Amino acid sequence: MRGEWHTRDVRGLLDALARGEVTPAGLVEHFLERIAEHDPALNCFVTRTADEARTRASRPLAGALAGIPLAHKDIFCTAGVRTTCASRMLSDFVPPYDATVVRRLDEAGAIVLGKTNMDEFAMGSSNETSVFGPVRNPWDLERVPGGSSGGSAAAVAAGLVPAASGTDTGGSVRQPAAFCGLSGLKPTYGRLSRYGMIAFASSLDQAGFLARTAEDLARLLVVTAGADARDATSSPEAVVDYPAALEAPIRGRTIGVVKEFRDAGLDPRVARLVDEALAVLERSGARLVDVSLPRLGLAVPIYYILAPAECSANLARYDGVRYGHRARDVASLEELYARSRGEGFGPEVKRRIMIGTYVLSHGYYDAYYLKAERARALLQKDFLRVLAEVDLLAGPTTPTVAFRIGEKNDDPLTMYLNDIYTNAVNLAGLPALSIPMGFVDGLPAGLQLIGAPFAEAPLLSVAHRYQQATEWHRARPPRFA
Ligand code: GLN
């Protein structure tokens, strides 16, 4: 009999394992079969680690996630397993070490089935910049799954794995979670170690997770969070028992409804779903308070100065000398650099490097980079001011539901505007999550909740309470049922 294990969440699989209804090896085979059957239509996986997974499942496993199959975004270094960042530049890079997030999940007993497709170097909102081609949205194969963690999101939504890692520099966990009908968490900057996570914009990058429920996110977070001697920006802040904190009462919590989240770009049908979700939270005992973030409109321009600036510095290391793509038949060192980079990077990455180099160059540094840093500090102040008055902020994750593949490709600015509700959160370093809140024309939409620094526990608990009161997170794309 074919199991229905792919319809369960992590919690459900842990229960089944504990009761002896299935073994880790049984789960590995089931999910590998799902991947073999469905991935050709979706393009979620760039590398499968079936042999490694089978070997691991045949050995005794211990830990809070023992026997749970997972996938990692191909931006996390995995020892002995190719890690590409979906770039030609790293197409044959095999790291000699594991990222801390990968190692901690291994120590918790999880089993990795493969590495997932993404936008090249995590730059994008649609998964179309990957050198391996676009990922398709399981709810509608003509649409994008969101980016840049689109392979992870589509894999979880289609039941190819019960949960997966992602990274979020400006929305890349929350936006694909919203587009694919999943729960996605971006923790506070520094909550998870960035060691072994290939850098895009170091002051914004944070690892996160995609799963079906807030409860599953709590289980993934509790085993990965915490200080790491290998990342000086990882925080020493004590790790809370997130799963235990889920049942905290929602009564008495105040939720700030951000006025500026209702700007002209918001699809009215998504706005209506936000209102309905807020009404659910209110009925569950939360108090809604109107708040304002007057400088929110600056977030996209600030982000698209700072993220390219940091990326141009981080990506300078790909010079064709130490590792990464190396051009052949070159006559000089100069030509080696130029051709290796010219051949190794795709158009979006090149655009970012050029913008970044420009805003950092002499004469423009003060006008663009420094000004953006100052504006970022003001934006962060605005957030902290309202978060001193309310427990959480709520609004949409994205202005629209998933768009069509190719629809925004010719116009980077329209693509960048898709991040309007998410990238401010990275600029302020705050934790946030997206949870399913309903559908527009059969496509899922996400509710975003934002917390004060290190307030992951209340964030997850309010999301969990919402999921106890609603069924949206249980919906599955019919084609992959
Ligand atoms: N879409 C944003 C960008 O293209 C965010 C990407 C991300 O979070 N990695 O930069």
Side-chain angles (χ1 to χ4, degrees):
M1 193 188 83
R2 271 178 79 147
E4 297 299 314
W5 305 118
H6 58 278
T7 64
R8 308 269 187 110
D9 53 23
V10 171
R11 152 85 193 273
L13 293 176
L14 285 169
D15 289 347
L17 285 162
R19 285 197 294 265
E21 292 164 13
V22 67
T23 60
L27 287 185
V28 164
E29 290 313 319
H30 178 74
F31 284 101
L32 287 176
E33 256 176 53
R34 293 277 303 172
I35 294 170
E37 185 178 344
H38 295 297
D39 198 49
L42 294 165
N43 198 24
C44 301
F45 283 85
V46 303
T47 303
R48 302 179 194 181
T49 51
D51 293 345
E52 293 90 329
R54 288 190 174 112
T55 308
R56 200 164 146 72
S58 71
R59 303 205 176 118
L61 291 164
L65 297 175
I68 296 297
L70 292 181
H72 287 301
K73 183 178 185 179
D74 208 21
I75 195 168
F76 288 96
C77 286
T78 39
V81 175
R82 182 176 79 136
T83 300
T84 66
C85 252
S87 179
R88 179 160 185 227
M89 184 56 90
L90 290 176
S91 55
D92 58 3
F93 173 55
V94 178
Y97 60 91
D98 278 328
T100 296
V101 166
V102 170
R103 185 172 51 77
R104 288 184 178 173
L105 285 165
D106 270 0
E107 286 165 3
I111 303 176
V112 180
L113 301 188
K115 307 289 297 288
T116 57
N117 204 346
M118 52 183 282
D119 280 296
E120 185 179 4
F121 281 99
M123 298 172 198
S125 310
S126 67
N127 227 292
E128 294 167 290
T129 70
S130 166
V131 73
F132 301 107
V135 175
R136 291 172 183 273
N137 188 319
W139 291 93
D140 176 348
L141 297 178
E142 298 310 311
R143 291 180 189 261
V144 305
S148 62
S149 313
S152 286
V156 178
L160 311 189
V161 275
S165 63
T167 59
D168 191 314
T169 301
S172 281
V173 164
R174 290 161 286 156
Q175 187 248 21
F179 280 11
C180 290
L182 299 174
S183 303
L185 172 70
K186 180 206 96 74
T188 310
Y189 181 78
R191 179 68 302 182
L192 296 180
S193 167
R194 289 185 297 113
Y195 178 74
M197 209 175 94
I198 294 172
F200 161 12
S202 305
S203 78
L204 301 160
D205 295 343
Q206 181 61 199
F209 302 104
L210 294 124
R212 296 201 174 282
T213 64
E215 177 175 351
D216 285 0
L217 293 173
R219 289 170 188 269
L220 291 157
L221 182 64
V222 75
V223 299
T224 47
D228 177 10
R230 291 176 163 137
D231 172 9
T233 63
S234 70
S235 169
E237 180 89 16
V239 175
V240 177
D241 185 346
Y242 304 105
L246 286 170
E247 304 293 336
I250 196 169
R251 188 157 301 283
R253 299 233 197 246
T254 48
I255 297 182
V257 182
V258 183
K259 181 165 136 252
E260 289 75 12
F261 277 173
R262 302 220 153 243
D263 66 19
L266 180 61
D267 182 326
R269 296 166 303 175
V270 176
R272 185 142 25 86
L273 293 177
V274 174
D275 290 339
E276 288 170 18
L278 290 171
V280 171
L281 292 169
E282 198 170 28
R283 278 200 297 280
S284 307
R287 197 161 60 84
L288 303 182
V289 181
D290 288 326
V291 297
S292 171
L293 293 168
R295 282 175 277 230
L296 193 75
L298 296 176
V300 170
I302 298 172
Y303 176 89
Y304 280 97
I305 290 172
L306 297 183
E310 294 186 25
C311 114
S312 73
N314 272 323
L315 272 57
R317 72 190 62 164
Y318 304 104
D319 55 8
V321 177
R322 287 159 291 193
Y323 62 109
H325 174 74
R326 177 193 291 239
R328 291 165 186 269
D329 306 321
V330 293
S332 67
L333 183 62
E334 189 98 332
E335 194 186 342
L336 173 71
Y337 292 154
R339 284 211 5 240
S340 298
R341 291 168 68 78
E343 293 164 7
F345 293 132
E348 182 62 25
V349 174
K350 285 180 186 159
R351 174 157 39 236
R352 306 264 181 132
I353 291 173
M354 285 170 66
I355 296 172
T357 311
Y358 179 84
V359 301
L360 288 175
S361 57
H362 183 72
Y364 296 111
Y365 182 89
D366 287 3
Y368 293 105
Y369 179 78
L370 261 193
K371 196 177 251 175
E373 281 292 6
R374 290 203 185 103
R376 175 188 189 170
L378 293 175
L379 186 64
Q380 185 173 33
K381 247 195 199 154
D382 287 355
F383 268 106
L384 295 179
R385 180 178 46 76
V386 295
L387 283 164
E389 290 159 18
V390 297
D391 294 314
L392 302 177
L393 302 174
T397 306
T398 53
T400 63
V401 292
F403 46 89
R404 285 180 192 285
I405 293 175
E407 188 180 321
K408 296 185 196 273
N409 261 348
D410 307 333
D411 183 0
L413 288 183
T414 331
M415 186 74 91
Y416 296 170
L417 280 172
N418 210 259
D419 301 338
I420 189 154
Y421 304 127
T422 49
N423 62 21
V425 173
N426 301 70
L427 291 168
L430 303 171
L433 53 75
S434 179
I435 46 176
M437 63 167 179
F439 291 85
V440 170
D441 290 341
L443 297 166
L447 174 73
Q448 183 174 214
L449 299 175
I450 304 167
F454 300 102
E456 281 82 3
L459 207 53
L460 289 163
S461 122
V462 168
H464 176 64
R465 291 301 192 185
Y466 177 81
Q467 293 184 330
Q468 287 177 327
T470 56
E471 297 288 326
W472 301 118
H473 59 290
R474 292 191 207 284
R476 304 172 40 77
R479 222 190 139 106
F480 300 94

